[in-house]
Amino acid sequence: MTMLGITAVLTIGILMLVVGFASKKRWLQLLSIVPLSISIFQLVRLLGMGM
């Protein structure tokens, strides 16, 4: 996954989380965990390759 892709997935996850809190939709907050965890995992892998 490229840095642009990781940033896009992270942005989507944050937007879903914000919309979930604004509309008080618990299912949307829980669903936002998926893109957030994918992007954080990819960032950790990317940084791990550099070391």
Side-chain angles (χ1 to χ4, degrees):
M1 201 175 230
T2 64
M3 193 63 187
L4 183 62
I6 294 170
T7 306
V9 172
L10 184 63
T11 305
I12 290 170
I14 290 172
L15 286 174
M16 285 174 62
L17 189 62
V18 168
V19 169
F21 276 119
S23 63
K24 297 186 185 346
K25 301 283 185 189
R26 182 87 174 140
W27 64 269
L28 192 55
Q29 294 171 7
L30 291 174
L31 191 63
S32 72
I33 293 173
V34 175
L36 288 174
S37 63
I38 290 171
S39 62
I40 290 171
F41 177 72
Q42 291 294 329
L43 279 172
V44 168
R45 278 187 53 201
L46 186 65
L47 292 173
M49 282 192 285
M51 296 189 156

